[in-house]
Protein backbone atom coordinates (compact mmCIF):
# COMPACT_ATOMS: atom_id res chain seq x y z
CA UNK A 1 0.00 0.00 0.00
CA UNK A 2 1.39 3.42 -0.95
CA UNK A 3 0.97 6.40 1.34
CA UNK A 4 -1.52 8.00 -1.02
CA UNK A 5 -3.86 5.01 -0.67
CA UNK A 6 -4.29 5.71 3.03
CA UNK A 7 -5.53 9.26 3.52
CA UNK A 8 -5.29 9.19 7.31
CA UNK A 9 -1.67 8.09 7.18
CA UNK A 10 -0.80 10.69 4.53
CA UNK A 11 -2.37 13.48 6.52
CA UNK A 12 -0.32 12.46 9.56
CA UNK A 13 2.82 12.89 7.52
CA UNK A 14 2.26 16.64 7.36
CA UNK A 15 1.99 17.19 3.60
CA UNK A 16 -0.89 19.19 2.19
CA UNK A 17 -3.03 18.23 -0.79
CA UNK A 18 -1.21 20.92 -2.75
CA UNK A 19 2.19 19.40 -1.98
CA UNK A 20 0.93 15.99 -3.05
CA UNK A 21 -0.43 17.49 -6.29
CA UNK A 22 2.94 19.10 -7.01
CA UNK A 23 4.66 15.76 -6.38
CA UNK A 24 2.44 14.14 -9.00
CA UNK A 25 2.34 16.85 -11.67
CA UNK A 26 5.56 18.90 -11.60
CA UNK A 27 8.17 17.16 -13.75
CA UNK A 28 11.87 17.89 -14.23
CA UNK A 29 13.95 15.99 -16.77
CA UNK A 30 17.44 14.70 -15.88
CA UNK A 31 18.91 17.21 -18.35
CA UNK A 32 17.12 20.13 -16.66
CA UNK A 33 18.47 21.97 -13.64
CA UNK A 34 15.59 24.48 -13.59
CA UNK A 35 13.54 25.19 -11.60
CA UNK A 36 15.97 24.80 -8.73
CA UNK A 37 13.26 23.21 -6.54
CA UNK A 38 10.05 21.50 -7.68
CA UNK A 39 8.10 21.15 -4.46
CA UNK A 40 7.65 24.75 -3.41
CA UNK A 41 6.57 27.95 -5.13
CA UNK A 42 8.90 30.91 -4.56
CA UNK A 43 9.75 34.21 -6.22
CA UNK A 44 11.97 37.29 -6.17
CA UNK A 45 15.22 35.43 -5.42
CA UNK A 46 17.98 37.06 -3.37
CA UNK A 47 21.31 35.25 -3.29
CA UNK A 48 24.07 35.08 -0.67
CA UNK A 49 27.33 33.22 -1.22
CA UNK A 50 28.85 32.31 2.14
CA UNK A 51 31.44 29.64 3.03
CA UNK A 52 31.26 27.96 -0.40
CA UNK A 53 27.48 27.68 -0.10
CA UNK A 54 24.86 29.48 -2.18
CA UNK A 55 21.78 30.57 -0.20
CA UNK A 56 18.62 31.64 -2.03
CA UNK A 57 15.99 33.61 -0.13
CA UNK A 58 12.62 34.06 -1.83
CA UNK A 59 9.12 35.41 -1.47
CA UNK A 60 7.04 32.50 -0.17
CA UNK A 61 4.45 32.08 -2.93
CA UNK A 62 3.72 28.67 -1.42
CA UNK A 63 2.15 30.40 1.57
CA UNK A 64 -0.29 32.25 -0.68
CA UNK A 65 -1.00 29.10 -2.69
CA UNK A 66 -1.83 27.15 0.45
CA UNK A 67 -4.28 29.91 1.38
CA UNK A 68 -5.92 30.18 -2.05
CA UNK A 69 -5.70 26.44 -2.85
CA UNK A 70 -5.06 27.52 -6.42
CA UNK A 71 -8.61 28.83 -6.74
CA UNK A 72 -7.57 32.48 -6.99
CA UNK A 73 -4.73 34.49 -8.54
CA UNK A 74 -1.71 35.23 -6.38
CA UNK A 75 -2.62 38.38 -4.45
CA UNK A 76 0.51 38.16 -2.21
CA UNK A 77 -1.43 39.48 0.81
CA UNK A 78 -1.01 36.35 2.96
CA UNK A 79 2.77 36.13 2.56
CA UNK A 80 4.57 36.91 5.82
CA UNK A 81 7.52 34.50 5.63
CA UNK A 82 10.40 33.83 3.25
CA UNK A 83 11.72 30.59 1.76
CA UNK A 84 15.36 29.56 2.15
CA UNK A 85 17.26 27.05 0.02
CA UNK A 86 20.97 26.23 -0.16
CA UNK A 87 23.38 24.46 -2.48
CA UNK A 88 27.09 23.81 -2.79
CA UNK A 89 26.94 22.86 -6.48
CA UNK A 90 24.00 24.85 -7.99
CA UNK A 91 22.07 21.74 -9.08
CA UNK A 92 21.27 19.90 -5.83
CA UNK A 93 19.31 22.08 -3.40
CA UNK A 94 18.38 21.70 0.27
CA UNK A 95 15.11 23.11 1.57
CA UNK A 96 16.05 24.96 4.77
CA UNK A 97 12.44 25.83 5.57
CA UNK A 98 10.65 29.12 6.05
CA UNK A 99 11.91 32.25 7.78
CA UNK A 100 9.14 33.99 9.76
CA UNK A 101 9.47 37.74 9.15
CA UNK A 102 6.29 39.81 9.48
CA UNK A 103 4.45 39.70 12.79
CA UNK A 104 1.11 41.42 12.14
CA UNK A 105 -2.15 39.80 10.96
CA UNK A 106 -1.21 36.35 12.22
CA UNK A 107 2.43 36.44 11.17
CA UNK A 108 4.98 34.70 13.39
CA UNK A 109 7.97 36.93 12.62
CA UNK A 110 9.74 39.41 14.87
CA UNK A 111 8.87 42.43 12.68
CA UNK A 112 5.64 43.05 14.62
CA UNK A 113 4.87 46.24 12.69
CA UNK A 114 4.81 44.49 9.28
CA UNK A 115 1.98 42.57 7.63
CA UNK A 116 3.92 41.12 4.68
CA UNK A 117 7.39 40.04 3.60
CA UNK A 118 8.08 40.32 -0.11
CA UNK A 119 11.12 40.50 -2.38
CA UNK A 120 14.03 39.97 0.03
CA UNK A 121 17.58 41.28 -0.20
CA UNK A 122 20.44 39.74 1.78
CA UNK A 123 23.91 40.84 2.86
CA UNK A 124 26.65 39.71 5.23
CA UNK A 125 29.01 42.11 7.00
CA UNK A 126 31.61 41.60 9.69
CA UNK A 127 30.78 43.77 12.70
CA UNK A 128 32.86 43.71 15.90
CA UNK A 129 34.78 40.73 14.51
CA UNK A 130 31.69 38.61 13.78
CA UNK A 131 29.82 37.93 10.56
CA UNK A 132 26.30 39.29 10.79
CA UNK A 133 23.50 38.73 8.32
CA UNK A 134 21.02 41.39 7.21
CA UNK A 135 17.78 40.38 5.51
CA UNK A 136 15.79 43.26 4.00
CA UNK A 137 12.15 42.86 2.93
CA UNK A 138 9.18 44.83 1.64
CA UNK A 139 6.04 45.22 3.73
CA UNK A 140 3.75 45.17 0.72
CA UNK A 141 4.50 48.39 -1.22
CA UNK A 142 4.51 50.59 1.86
CA UNK A 143 7.96 50.29 3.35
CA UNK A 144 11.13 48.27 3.78
CA UNK A 145 12.27 46.54 6.94
CA UNK A 146 15.35 44.65 8.06
CA UNK A 147 15.86 41.62 10.27
CA UNK A 148 19.24 40.33 11.42
CA UNK A 149 20.87 37.06 12.46
CA UNK A 150 24.23 35.53 13.35
CA UNK A 151 23.73 32.72 10.82
CA UNK A 152 22.46 32.79 7.22
CA UNK A 153 19.74 30.39 8.39
CA UNK A 154 18.59 32.58 11.27
CA UNK A 155 16.82 32.94 13.58
CA UNK A 156 16.18 36.50 12.39
CA UNK A 157 15.08 39.27 14.74
CA UNK A 158 14.06 42.90 14.17
CA UNK A 159 16.78 45.21 15.59
CA UNK A 160 14.93 48.53 15.13
CA UNK A 161 11.25 47.54 15.64
CA UNK A 162 10.08 49.77 12.78
CA UNK A 163 10.55 50.24 9.03
CA UNK A 164 14.03 51.10 7.84
CA UNK A 165 12.46 53.05 4.97
CA UNK A 166 8.95 54.54 5.07
CA UNK A 167 7.02 57.40 3.53
CA UNK A 168 8.50 59.59 6.25
CA UNK A 169 11.99 58.92 4.89
CA UNK A 170 13.22 62.07 3.08
CA UNK A 171 12.64 62.02 -0.70
CA UNK A 172 10.46 58.90 -0.45
CA UNK A 173 6.95 60.25 0.17
CA UNK A 174 6.08 60.31 -3.54
CA UNK A 175 7.56 56.94 -4.48
CA UNK A 176 4.64 54.86 -5.74
CA UNK A 177 5.94 51.58 -4.33
CA UNK A 178 8.41 51.49 -1.46
CA UNK A 179 9.53 47.91 -2.05
CA UNK A 180 11.92 45.55 -3.87
CA UNK A 181 15.14 46.34 -2.01
CA UNK A 182 18.58 45.46 -3.32
CA UNK A 183 21.63 45.67 -1.08
CA UNK A 184 25.34 45.83 -1.81
CA UNK A 185 28.51 46.02 0.28
CA UNK A 186 31.41 47.72 -1.49
CA UNK A 187 35.06 46.70 -1.32
CA UNK A 188 35.64 49.15 1.54
CA UNK A 189 32.86 47.58 3.64
CA UNK A 190 30.36 50.37 3.02
CA UNK A 191 26.77 49.24 2.49
CA UNK A 192 24.18 50.66 0.08
CA UNK A 193 20.49 50.01 -0.50
CA UNK A 194 18.38 50.48 -3.65
CA UNK A 195 14.57 50.36 -3.83
CA UNK A 196 11.34 51.78 -5.24
CA UNK A 197 9.10 51.43 -8.26
CA UNK A 198 5.82 52.24 -9.93
CA UNK A 199 4.78 55.18 -12.06
CA UNK A 200 1.98 57.63 -12.62
CA UNK A 201 0.00 57.28 -15.89
CA UNK A 202 1.62 60.37 -17.41
CA UNK A 203 5.17 59.59 -16.26
CA UNK A 204 5.83 56.07 -17.50
CA UNK A 205 8.87 57.04 -19.61
CA UNK A 206 10.77 58.59 -16.70
CA UNK A 207 8.98 57.57 -13.47
CA UNK A 208 11.86 58.73 -11.26
CA UNK A 209 10.64 56.44 -8.46
CA UNK A 210 13.87 54.48 -7.86
CA UNK A 211 16.04 55.50 -4.90
CA UNK A 212 19.46 54.64 -3.52
CA UNK A 213 21.08 55.44 -0.19
CA UNK A 214 24.13 54.70 1.89
CA UNK A 215 23.59 52.46 4.88
CA UNK A 216 25.06 53.23 8.26
CA UNK A 217 27.93 51.14 9.56
CA UNK A 218 25.34 49.13 11.51
CA UNK A 219 23.48 48.27 8.25
CA UNK A 220 20.16 49.07 9.94
CA UNK A 221 20.13 52.84 9.42
CA UNK A 222 20.20 55.24 6.47
CA UNK A 223 22.82 57.94 5.98
CA UNK A 224 21.76 61.18 4.30
CA UNK A 225 18.85 61.64 1.92
CA UNK A 226 18.10 58.84 -0.58
CA UNK A 227 19.07 59.86 -4.11
CA UNK A 228 16.79 59.58 -7.14
CA UNK A 229 17.67 57.21 -9.99
CA UNK A 230 16.13 58.26 -13.31
CA UNK A 231 15.68 54.77 -14.74
CA UNK A 232 13.84 54.87 -18.10
CA UNK A 233 10.53 52.96 -18.10
CA UNK A 234 11.10 51.74 -14.55
CA UNK A 235 8.52 49.40 -13.04
CA UNK A 236 10.13 47.54 -10.11
CA UNK A 237 12.88 45.13 -9.01
CA UNK A 238 16.07 47.03 -8.20
CA UNK A 239 19.37 45.17 -8.51
CA UNK A 240 22.96 46.27 -7.87
CA UNK A 241 26.35 44.77 -8.71
CA UNK A 242 29.95 45.90 -9.02
CA UNK A 243 31.67 44.30 -11.99
CA UNK A 244 35.26 45.19 -12.93
CA UNK A 245 35.06 48.41 -10.92
CA UNK A 246 31.80 49.59 -12.54
CA UNK A 247 28.48 49.80 -10.70
CA UNK A 248 25.49 48.22 -12.48
CA UNK A 249 21.96 49.19 -11.49
CA UNK A 250 19.43 46.75 -12.97
CA UNK A 251 15.64 46.87 -12.92
CA UNK A 252 12.42 45.58 -14.47
CA UNK A 253 10.78 47.84 -17.05
CA UNK A 254 7.08 48.67 -17.04
CA UNK A 255 4.16 47.31 -19.06
CA UNK A 256 3.04 50.52 -20.77
CA UNK A 257 2.97 50.38 -24.59
CA UNK A 258 6.04 51.99 -26.14
CA UNK A 259 5.81 54.85 -28.62
CA UNK A 260 5.84 53.80 -32.26
CA UNK A 261 9.27 53.73 -33.82
CA UNK A 262 11.06 53.46 -30.47
CA UNK A 263 14.73 52.69 -30.95
CA UNK A 264 17.37 50.97 -28.86
CA UNK A 265 17.19 53.71 -26.25
CA UNK A 266 13.74 52.43 -25.23
CA UNK A 267 13.74 49.05 -23.44
CA UNK A 268 10.95 46.56 -24.27
CA UNK A 269 8.10 45.73 -21.92
CA UNK A 270 8.92 43.85 -18.68
CA UNK A 271 12.60 43.14 -19.38
CA UNK A 272 15.61 43.64 -17.13
CA UNK A 273 17.32 46.87 -18.17
CA UNK A 274 20.63 48.19 -16.86
CA UNK A 275 22.43 51.43 -16.09
CA UNK A 276 26.03 52.02 -15.03
CA UNK A 277 27.96 54.48 -12.90
CA UNK A 278 31.42 54.97 -11.47
CA UNK A 279 29.82 55.85 -8.13
CA UNK A 280 27.54 53.57 -6.07
CA UNK A 281 25.05 56.43 -5.63
CA UNK A 282 25.13 57.51 -9.25
CA UNK A 283 24.36 59.32 -11.38
CA UNK A 284 23.58 56.24 -13.48
CA UNK A 285 23.55 56.18 -17.29
CA UNK A 286 21.13 53.95 -19.22
CA UNK A 287 22.99 51.32 -21.23
CA UNK A 288 20.37 48.86 -22.54
CA UNK A 289 18.65 45.68 -21.43
CA UNK A 290 19.89 42.17 -20.73
CA UNK A 291 17.10 39.71 -19.77
CA UNK A 292 13.87 39.08 -21.65
CA UNK A 293 10.64 38.45 -19.82
CA UNK A 294 10.46 34.72 -18.96
CA UNK A 295 7.15 34.53 -20.85
CA UNK A 296 9.14 34.97 -24.08
CA UNK A 297 10.74 31.56 -23.52
CA UNK A 298 8.36 29.66 -21.28
CA UNK A 299 4.94 30.98 -22.26
CA UNK A 300 3.69 32.28 -18.90
CA UNK A 301 4.00 36.07 -18.72
CA UNK A 302 4.40 37.86 -15.44
CA UNK A 303 6.62 40.27 -13.59
CA UNK A 304 10.37 39.92 -14.01
CA UNK A 305 12.58 39.80 -10.91
CA UNK A 306 16.28 38.95 -10.75
CA UNK A 307 19.50 38.76 -8.73
CA UNK A 308 22.98 38.65 -10.31
CA UNK A 309 25.69 36.91 -8.29
CA UNK A 310 29.17 35.38 -8.52
CA UNK A 311 30.08 31.86 -7.44
CA UNK A 312 33.53 30.34 -7.77
CA UNK A 313 34.67 32.71 -10.49
CA UNK A 314 31.52 32.83 -12.66
CA UNK A 315 28.56 35.19 -13.01
CA UNK A 316 25.02 33.83 -12.64
CA UNK A 317 21.52 35.27 -12.66
CA UNK A 318 18.60 34.03 -10.57
CA UNK A 319 15.06 34.93 -11.59
CA UNK A 320 11.54 33.53 -11.39
CA UNK A 321 9.13 31.98 -13.90
CA UNK A 322 5.65 30.46 -13.87
CA UNK A 323 6.46 27.10 -15.45
CA UNK A 324 5.34 24.99 -12.48
CA UNK A 325 1.85 26.44 -12.38
CA UNK A 326 1.60 25.64 -16.10
CA UNK A 327 2.49 21.99 -15.43
CA UNK A 328 -0.16 21.87 -12.73
CA UNK A 329 -2.69 23.40 -15.17
CA UNK A 330 -3.90 25.89 -12.60
CA UNK A 331 -6.81 28.04 -13.73
CA UNK A 332 -5.46 30.97 -11.71
CA UNK A 333 -1.88 32.16 -11.71
CA UNK A 334 0.95 34.31 -10.53
CA UNK A 335 2.64 31.49 -8.57
CA UNK A 336 6.30 31.35 -9.39
CA UNK A 337 9.40 29.15 -9.25
CA UNK A 338 13.10 30.00 -9.26
CA UNK A 339 15.52 29.54 -12.17
CA UNK A 340 19.29 30.12 -12.37
CA UNK A 341 21.26 30.59 -15.59
CA UNK A 342 24.75 31.71 -16.56
CA UNK A 343 25.20 35.49 -16.82
CA UNK A 344 27.50 36.87 -19.52
CA UNK A 345 29.39 40.18 -19.36
CA UNK A 346 31.05 41.39 -22.56
CA UNK A 347 34.71 42.42 -22.53
CA UNK A 348 33.74 46.07 -22.97
CA UNK A 349 31.45 45.92 -19.92
CA UNK A 350 28.21 45.85 -21.89
CA UNK A 351 25.61 43.18 -21.15
CA UNK A 352 24.22 40.98 -23.94
CA UNK A 353 20.74 39.49 -23.91
CA UNK A 354 21.11 36.47 -21.65
CA UNK A 355 19.95 32.92 -22.38
CA UNK A 356 17.06 31.56 -20.32
CA UNK A 357 17.01 27.77 -20.38
CA UNK A 358 15.41 24.86 -18.58
CA UNK A 359 18.85 23.21 -18.63
CA UNK A 360 20.08 25.83 -16.20
CA UNK A 361 23.72 25.84 -15.15
CA UNK A 362 26.41 23.19 -15.02
CA UNK A 363 27.10 21.47 -11.72
CA UNK A 364 29.92 23.15 -9.81
CA UNK A 365 32.04 20.39 -8.29
CA UNK A 366 30.32 17.26 -7.00
CA UNK A 367 27.99 16.15 -4.21
CA UNK A 368 29.48 14.73 -1.00
CA UNK A 369 27.42 11.74 0.23
CA UNK A 370 29.54 11.03 3.33
CA UNK A 371 27.90 13.61 5.59
CA UNK A 372 24.38 13.51 6.95
CA UNK A 373 22.09 14.71 4.17
CA UNK A 374 18.67 16.19 5.02
CA UNK A 375 16.06 14.29 3.02
CA UNK A 376 14.79 17.45 1.30
CA UNK A 377 18.09 17.76 -0.59
CA UNK A 378 17.98 16.83 -4.24
CA UNK A 379 18.02 17.73 -7.89
CA UNK A 380 14.52 16.42 -8.58
CA UNK A 381 11.64 14.34 -7.23
CA UNK A 382 8.93 12.29 -8.86
CA UNK A 383 5.80 11.35 -6.91
CA UNK A 384 7.59 12.30 -3.69
CA UNK A 385 6.08 14.99 -1.48
CA UNK A 386 7.97 17.17 0.99
CA UNK A 387 6.26 17.43 4.38
CA UNK A 388 6.05 20.48 6.61
CA UNK A 389 9.02 19.12 8.59
CA UNK A 390 11.02 18.65 5.38
CA UNK A 391 10.90 14.89 5.32
CA UNK A 392 10.00 12.96 2.16
CA UNK A 393 7.14 10.56 1.58
CA UNK A 394 5.91 8.85 -1.59
CA UNK A 395 2.48 9.41 -3.08
CA UNK A 396 2.89 6.39 -5.40
CA UNK A 397 4.96 3.22 -5.46
CA UNK A 398 8.09 3.63 -7.54
CA UNK A 399 8.43 7.26 -6.48
CA UNK A 400 12.00 8.48 -6.45
CA UNK A 401 14.32 11.34 -5.56
CA UNK A 402 17.43 12.12 -7.66
CA UNK A 403 20.72 13.62 -6.46
CA UNK A 404 23.06 14.53 -9.33
CA UNK A 405 26.82 14.14 -9.55
CA UNK A 406 27.46 12.21 -6.33
CA UNK A 407 31.16 11.50 -5.70
CA UNK A 408 31.45 8.03 -4.15
CA UNK A 409 35.24 7.98 -4.27
CA UNK A 410 36.41 4.39 -3.81
CA UNK A 411 35.46 3.75 -0.18
CA UNK A 412 31.65 3.68 -0.01
CA UNK A 413 30.63 0.54 1.90
CA UNK A 414 27.18 1.13 3.44
CA UNK A 415 24.08 3.26 3.09
CA UNK A 416 22.38 4.50 6.26
CA UNK A 417 19.11 6.38 6.67
CA UNK A 418 16.75 7.72 9.29
CA UNK A 419 13.11 6.94 8.59
CA UNK A 420 9.75 7.45 10.27
CA UNK A 421 7.48 4.42 10.19
CA UNK A 422 3.81 3.92 10.90
CA UNK A 423 1.41 1.00 11.15
CA UNK A 424 1.12 1.24 7.36
CA UNK A 425 4.85 0.71 6.76
CA UNK A 426 4.71 -3.09 6.61
CA UNK A 427 6.22 -4.24 3.33
CA UNK A 428 7.76 -0.86 2.57
CA UNK A 429 11.25 -0.61 1.12
CA UNK A 430 13.85 1.89 -0.06
CA UNK A 431 16.02 1.04 -3.06
CA UNK A 432 19.37 2.75 -3.52
CA UNK A 433 20.30 2.97 -7.21
CA UNK A 434 23.03 4.55 -9.32
CA UNK A 435 22.50 6.34 -12.64
CA UNK A 436 18.79 5.45 -13.07
CA UNK A 437 15.76 4.61 -10.95
CA UNK A 438 14.78 1.58 -13.06
CA UNK A 439 16.30 -1.37 -14.84
CA UNK A 440 18.82 0.86 -16.63
CA UNK A 441 20.45 1.70 -13.31
CA UNK A 442 22.58 -0.27 -10.85
CA UNK A 443 20.91 -1.49 -7.67
CA UNK A 444 23.30 -0.73 -4.82
CA UNK A 445 21.06 -1.84 -1.96
CA UNK A 446 17.45 -2.50 -0.99
CA UNK A 447 16.39 -1.76 2.57
CA UNK A 448 13.26 -3.27 4.09
CA UNK A 449 11.43 -0.75 6.26
CA UNK A 450 10.03 -2.08 9.53
CA UNK A 451 9.78 -0.59 12.98
CA UNK A 452 13.32 0.79 13.32
CA UNK A 453 14.02 4.46 12.74
CA UNK A 454 17.70 3.84 11.93
CA UNK A 455 18.32 1.53 8.98
CA UNK A 456 21.43 0.60 7.01
CA UNK A 457 22.65 -1.90 4.46
CA UNK A 458 25.87 -2.89 2.72
CA UNK A 459 26.01 -1.65 -0.87
CA UNK A 460 27.33 -3.12 -4.08
CA UNK A 461 30.75 -1.91 -5.08
CA UNK A 462 30.74 1.53 -6.61
CA UNK A 463 33.34 4.23 -7.19
CA UNK A 464 33.62 7.56 -8.93
CA UNK A 465 30.85 9.95 -9.79
CA UNK A 466 27.25 8.90 -10.43
CA UNK A 467 23.70 10.18 -10.16
CA UNK A 468 21.96 8.69 -7.13
CA UNK A 469 18.30 7.61 -7.01
CA UNK A 470 16.38 6.69 -3.87
CA UNK A 471 13.29 4.72 -4.86
CA UNK A 472 10.31 4.36 -2.50
CA UNK A 473 7.82 1.51 -2.12
CA UNK A 474 5.12 1.60 0.55
CA UNK A 475 4.34 4.14 3.23
CA UNK A 476 7.07 5.76 5.31
CA UNK A 477 9.00 9.03 5.66
CA UNK A 478 12.66 9.59 4.89
CA UNK A 479 14.31 12.07 7.26
CA UNK A 480 18.00 11.90 6.31
CA UNK A 481 20.63 9.63 4.77
CA UNK A 482 24.36 9.19 4.18
CA UNK A 483 26.93 6.72 2.90
CA UNK A 484 29.50 5.14 5.21
CA UNK A 485 33.08 4.21 4.43
Amino acid sequence: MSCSENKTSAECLGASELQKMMAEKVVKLPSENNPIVMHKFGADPAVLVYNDTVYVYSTNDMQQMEFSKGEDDNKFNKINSLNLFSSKDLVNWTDLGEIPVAGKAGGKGDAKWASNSWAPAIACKKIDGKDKFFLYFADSGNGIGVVTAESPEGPFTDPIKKPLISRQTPNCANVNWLFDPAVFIDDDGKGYIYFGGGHNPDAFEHPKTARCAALGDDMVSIEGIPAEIDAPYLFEDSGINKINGLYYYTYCTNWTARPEGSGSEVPPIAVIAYMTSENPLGPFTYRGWTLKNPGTYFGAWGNNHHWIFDFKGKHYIAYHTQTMEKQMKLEHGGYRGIFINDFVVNEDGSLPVQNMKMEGVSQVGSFNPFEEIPAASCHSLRNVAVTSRRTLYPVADGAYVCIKGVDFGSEAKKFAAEVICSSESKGASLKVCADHFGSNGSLLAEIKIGKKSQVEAAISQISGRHDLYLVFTGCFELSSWKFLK
Side-chain angles (χ1 to χ4, degrees), residues 61-236:
D61 278 14
M62 197 71 177
Q63 195 172 24
Q64 190 77 29
M65 174 64 90
E66 292 282 10
F67 172 78
S68 72
K69 303 186 187 307
E71 298 174 358
D72 197 2
D73 290 341
N74 189 351
K75 292 183 169 59
F76 320 110
N77 60 309
K78 298 298 181 181
I79 300 175
N80 52 41
S81 64
L82 299 169
N83 294 326
L84 179 57
F85 310 103
S86 71
S87 176
K88 293 182 181 295
D89 60 17
L90 294 182
V91 302
N92 297 296
W93 291 87
T94 298
D95 185 346
L96 296 174
E98 298 179 359
I99 299 171
V101 176
K104 276 178 79 173
K108 299 179 181 179
D110 195 51
K112 304 301 182 186
W113 55 271
S115 297
N116 296 116
S117 56
W118 301 350
I122 183 69
C124 173
K125 182 178 178 180
K126 191 177 293 293
I127 296 179
D128 296 330
K130 288 186 177 182
D131 287 342
K132 196 166 184 179
F133 300 86
F134 300 87
L135 184 58
Y136 303 84
F137 67 94
D139 179 28
S140 182
N142 297 312
I144 294 169
V146 57
V147 290
T148 63
E150 295 184 358
S151 161
E153 299 179 34
F156 285 88
T157 57
D158 185 346
I160 58 176
K161 309 301 182 186
K162 62 180 181 179
L164 172 65
I165 297 165
S166 71
R167 304 221 175 264
Q168 284 68 52
T169 303
N171 201 27
C172 292
N174 295 325
V175 173
N176 296 70
W177 298 328
L178 284 176
F179 71 176
D180 286 8
V183 66
F184 165 73
I185 297 179
D186 211 340
D187 301 331
D188 60 2
K190 187 65 178 174
Y192 299 89
I193 191 167
Y194 304 73
F195 58 94
H199 62 85
N200 296 324
D202 59 348
F204 64 90
E205 294 178 339
H206 290 276
K208 298 184 179 181
T209 54
R211 300 288 185 269
C212 58
L215 290 164
D217 291 340
D218 58 7
M219 297 289 286
V220 297
S221 60
I222 299 291
E223 290 184 352
I225 298 176
E228 176 186 287
I229 302 175
D230 183 8
Y233 293 86
L234 171 75
F235 189 58
E236 59 184 2

